[in-house]
Amino acid sequence: KLGIDVLGVDSLVEGLSVRKQQTKIPILVLGHTLPELFDVARSAGIAVTISTFESLAYAQEKGKSKKPL
């Protein structure tokens, strides 16, 4: 209905707010997300960008889930 394939948002907070209204559209957080919140994003079906090697290492360590991050 929105005519878009993926919605880019600034923060996980914004993504979670959108997710409450739009349950099926893919959402990508373009701003920084703390690694501690990766599981929150994953649970909500929200993809995040990774901008540091530390965040990448954390995601790889916790990446055993079948749901993408």
Side-chain angles (χ1 to χ4, degrees):
K1 288 186 177 186
L2 296 175
I4 57 175
D5 295 322
V6 177
L7 180 63
V9 296
D10 176 61
S11 67
L12 182 56
V13 171
E14 186 177 13
L16 292 169
S17 177
V18 171
R19 176 58 72 222
K20 288 179 184 177
Q21 302 299 316
Q22 299 292 329
T23 58
K24 295 186 180 186
I25 190 165
I27 298 171
L28 172 63
V29 176
L30 299 169
H32 179 73
T33 302
L34 295 172
E36 296 81 19
L37 297 176
F38 286 174
D39 287 335
V40 174
R42 180 178 280 127
S43 295
I46 297 174
V48 300
T49 55
I50 296 178
S51 58
T52 67
F53 288 114
E54 293 81 11
S55 293
L56 178 60
Y58 186 91
Q60 288 175 325
E61 180 181 313
K62 299 290 183 178
K64 308 293 188 232
S65 172
K66 296 190 189 248
K67 281 182 137 184
L69 177 58

